[in-house]
Each structure stands twice: as structure tokens, then as C-alpha cells.
Amino acid sequence: MPGSGGRPHLAIPGPSIMPDRVLRAMHRASPNIYAGELPDMMPGVIEDLCKVARTDGQAAIYISNGHGVWEAALANTVAPGETVLALVTGRFGQGWAEVAEARGIAVETLDFGKQAAADPARVEELLRADKGHKIKAVLATHVDTSTSILNDIAGLRSALDAAGHPALLMADCIASLACDRFEMDAWGVDVMIAASQKGLMTPPGLGLVFFSAKAAEARRGLPRVAKYWDWGPRAEPELFYQYFGGTAPTHHIYGLREALDMLLEEGLEAVWARHEWLAQAVWAACGVWGADGPLRMNVADVANRSRAVTSLSLRAPDGRRLREWLEAETGVTLGIGLGMNTEDDPKAEGFFRIGHMGHLNAHGLLGVLGAIESGLLALDIPHGLGAVGMAARSLAKPAAGAAS
Ligand SMILES: *Cc1c(COP(=O)(O)O)cnc(C)c1O
């Protein structure tokens, strides 16, 4: 079948689709890094990043991916030998805990499995029992991209408050920022981390850390902070190079500037509503496919589902076969099953993910869903009929709470 013409579509949970505007903004000669447009642009970039994060706090940027800011968040707040509580709802929560352990931090873990959100009541109970306030920070993942579980960050704040516990609340919003509603200040988050390549629609390479006054205080209380990871000079630079601890990621800044313009022109509320609207269509289609066949959404409870990514299961190896068929025949690339390995399915070949984050509209999403339906038919994978029509109906007549 002729599947190679036309524009390919990346439906993975990061890196996400790059808007032409971002591409064009980056397509330029190397700029002057000492004076002029680029240095002048930075205060506005930081200001607009904070708008997207919904914080009046401070921000630091690293030339890194998400793994880098896992490191940065901890390097500025928790000393080796101190303790953190890691809430795990998938591979990414586990990954952050491993970074903490490798820094010599003692990690207590509450693992909620791969299909349920973190339970604030259990967190409160554990924090109440920590009478000596040994736990310095609670590490939460807003959306765990492997499982597509959305965690209730405001609920976790309430758990800390109810327990009267002074630990910092840290949230990994790498997958969710500018996709799922997130309110850093209103939800009482002390440290939030994000990266450029998901909802922010910019190539991988920028790690972002946002922090509250309380987190800044924790930083000042540490005996030492590795110079490169220190967020102090990055957040309060006296010279342009200090924003990045060295040479600026020149073209990424231009790309990010354009992406922030796009987000703020659309309006953050509208961006969230668009993601809600599109996610509802994904769920509508998946519900129909699954009604008469093996396809299942990983997260059963709608309240715990992300608007950025949907993790799905089939019978192994049909997740892999479906991905391969779509890539070869339709130009759509789906996400691999990540962290879902079991003894029966050691390579997680029964799983796949649909990324629906960032620069996406209804026609792009309907293309993805139509391509999946073709793949299910082509590979003789049993499924309920009429899913794409149901997605179209969901888009035409969104449920209450979704965008109109
Ligand atoms: C993508 C992602 C990461 C890792 O980011 P990298 O850029 O791949 O290092 C961490 N946490 C979450 C929630 C993510 O979605």
C-alpha cells in the first residue's frame, strides 16, 4: 500500500509536533549573544513562561531534557542523606525517585500501581506519621506519560496541609504543562518542572524549573549546590550568559518565544479547553473500539485521565504490530508502550500510546483515529465499529465541561 507520501504525523507523547511558526522562528542565522534582540528577549520569555505555569514565583532554564530538571529540582532543595517521599504512578515517577537515590537522597516510595492515581489520603497518613518531619519533599508526577494517569496535585497539597507537614511539594509537569490544567500558585506547588518538547511545542533541549519563595529558602539552607545546577544565578542573572550557565541555546529561545506567543494568543484557558475537547474524542473512540474487542484504555476512571496522552493496551504483540502498520502505511507514528512490561509481555508489545498534546487540532486527531481504525481492520484485530464516527460526534457535541 502506498503510505509514504504526504506529511507525516507524530502522535507520540513528546517530542510533539512542531508548529511551522516555531520552525520558521528558528530558521535564522546565529544571533549576537552579547547584546541586542536575544538578550533583550529573555525577561519577557521568563515572564511568559511563568504565566503558562500560573506562578508569580521564579524560573530557571537548563539546556537539558526532562531528566536534567529532575536533577535540578533536587539539587537545589534536598541534600544527600535527607529524605523525600516519591509518589509513583508509572515509569516517570519511578525515574524521578531513581534520580533522587543516585544523589544519595533516601527515598520513601508510595507506589499506586499503573492504573490508579496517587491517593491523597494515604499520603496524608504517611506524612502524619512523620512526626519529626524527616521528609523534605514530596515528589509527584502531574501526568505520568507512561500510564497516562493524571494526579490530583491540589488534593496532594491539601494532604500536606491537613497533616501540617512542611515538606516541599514538587510536581513533574513535563507532559502536562499547557495541556492539562495546572495552577502552580493556587495549588500550592513549591517546585514545578517542565521541558520544551511536549505542550510547549519546541524541540527537546530546554528544561524548566519554577520555584516558590519557600523552595528558594530551602536552596539557601543547603550546605552546597553544584555550580551548574544552582538555580540562583539562572533565576536572577546579572549577565545574559547566567540564564543558561554558559552559552545560550540561541535557536531554542527563538522557538520557545514563538511557541509562547502562540499559547498566549490562543489563551491558556482555551488551550486547556482544546486539549479537553480532543481528549474526549480520543476516549469516545477508544470506548467504542473496546466495546467489542481487546482494546482498553489504561485508566478507567475519567477523573484520572490526562488530556495530553492516552495509554492503551491490546493483546501482545498487537500494540507493536499496530504501531508498525500505522507508521508504514499511514504516516502516523504512535507512542510505544513504556514501563508496562510484564512477565507475559516483557517488551510491552501489547501497549501503545496516543499523544494528543501541543500543536494539534481536530482534523489532525481525526486522522490519527482514522488511521488506527484502518490498522485494526488491516491486522484483523477485533474491535467495536463506529469509533471514528463517535469521535466526530464527540467533537460536534462535546460533553459538558469540554470546549464548544
Ligand atoms: C517526557 C517526560 C519526562 C522525561 O523527559 P525527557 O525529556 O525524556 O528527559 C519526565 N517526566 C515526564 C512526566 C515526562 O512526560
Side-chain angles (χ1 to χ4, degrees):
M1 267 171 277
S4 57
R7 191 170 188 148
H9 183 105
L10 200 58
I12 71 176
S16 66
I17 294 168
M18 280 174 68
D20 290 348
R21 277 179 64 178
V22 172
L23 283 166
R24 277 197 299 273
M26 297 180 76
H27 191 90
R28 62 175 66 229
S30 280
N32 183 356
I33 58 165
Y34 306 118
E37 188 178 51
L38 188 70
D40 291 350
M41 195 193 281
M42 273 316 289
V45 167
I46 298 289
E47 195 179 315
D48 289 344
L49 281 171
C50 288
K51 278 185 201 158
V52 173
R54 298 282 197 155
T55 184
D56 293 331
Q58 292 186 283
I61 307 183
Y62 297 82
I63 300 183
S64 79
N65 54 24
H67 282 66
V69 284
W70 274 344
E71 198 88 44
L74 293 165
N76 284 280
T77 52
V78 186
E82 293 185 330
T83 303
V84 299
L85 172 61
L87 310 180
V88 175
T89 56
R91 186 66 203 103
F92 288 95
Q94 187 60 42
W96 201 3
E98 287 164 11
V99 168
E101 264 163 24
R103 296 188 64 80
I105 294 167
V107 180
E108 286 188 26
T109 300
L110 272 180
D111 194 331
F112 297 91
K114 294 175 182 173
Q115 293 186 302
D119 177 2
R122 279 184 61 197
V123 174
E124 182 185 332
E125 189 185 36
L126 194 145
L127 292 176
R128 276 186 195 283
D130 178 31
K131 300 246 188 294
H133 296 161
K134 191 165 56 103
I135 294 167
K136 297 299 170 201
V138 176
L139 314 186
T141 314
H142 188 211
V143 167
D144 199 301
T145 323
S146 61
T147 55
S148 67
I149 291 167
L150 172 78
N151 285 299
D152 176 7
I153 302 296
L156 293 171
R157 171 80 266 163
S158 300
L160 269 90
D161 291 347
H165 200 291
L168 297 171
L169 177 59
M170 303 204 198
D172 173 349
C173 294
I174 294 170
S176 56
L177 191 68
C179 303
D180 282 285
R181 174 179 291 277
F182 177 80
E183 306 271 4
M184 177 160 171
D185 289 357
W187 294 356
V189 173
D190 294 299
V191 179
M192 186 271 270
I193 56 173
S196 49
Q197 78 270 26
K198 300 191 186 183
L200 295 180
M201 308 182 291
T202 303
L206 297 180
L208 311 169
V209 180
F210 301 85
F211 56 96
S212 68
K214 183 174 164 185
E217 191 59 41
R219 149 74 190 82
R220 285 190 288 273
L222 290 181
R224 75 179 71 79
V225 176
K227 194 165 168 53
Y228 187 77
W229 292 121
D230 192 354
W231 67 29
R234 289 172 190 261
E236 292 173 23
E238 283 164 21
L239 298 164
F240 177 62
Y241 84 91
Q242 291 177 316
Y243 276 109
F244 305 99
T247 306
T250 50
H251 289 65
H252 276 72
I253 300 170
Y254 278 103
L256 180 63
R257 176 64 272 167
E258 192 70 23
L260 289 167
D261 285 345
M262 290 176 69
L263 290 172
L264 297 174
E265 283 164 21
E266 185 177 356
L268 198 52
E269 291 284 349
V271 169
W272 290 332
R274 172 168 53 83
H275 281 84
E276 171 80 37
W277 182 53
L278 297 174
Q280 299 251 357
V282 173
W283 305 336
C286 293
V288 174
W289 284 323
D292 194 12
L295 185 134
R296 294 288 175 271
M297 279 179 273
N298 184 53
V299 184
D301 186 344
V302 176
N304 300 339
R305 283 184 199 155
S306 165
R307 278 86 185 145
V309 54
T310 298
S311 190
L312 296 143
S313 62
L314 283 167
R315 289 192 195 109
D318 283 348
R320 174 177 59 75
R321 290 176 68 226
L322 186 71
R323 282 193 297 101
E324 289 173 355
W325 191 90
L326 257 73
E327 172 129 318
E329 307 300 341
T330 74
V332 171
T333 304
L334 296 171
I336 60 168
L338 193 68
M340 303 304 267
N341 325 44
T342 60
E343 224 161 88
D344 294 340
D345 182 12
K347 292 185 186 159
E349 291 185 324
F351 292 84
F352 68 101
R353 291 173 298 161
I354 305 172
H356 35 95
M357 54 174 57
H359 189 56
L360 185 66
N361 57 14
H363 93 75
L365 181 68
L366 285 169
V368 171
L369 297 174
I372 292 173
E373 185 144 307
S374 288
L376 295 170
L377 288 163
L379 300 173
D380 293 319
I381 299 169
H383 59 279
L385 299 179
V388 178
M390 192 61 95
R393 198 175 317 167
S394 170
L395 291 166
K397 299 190 187 307
S404 52

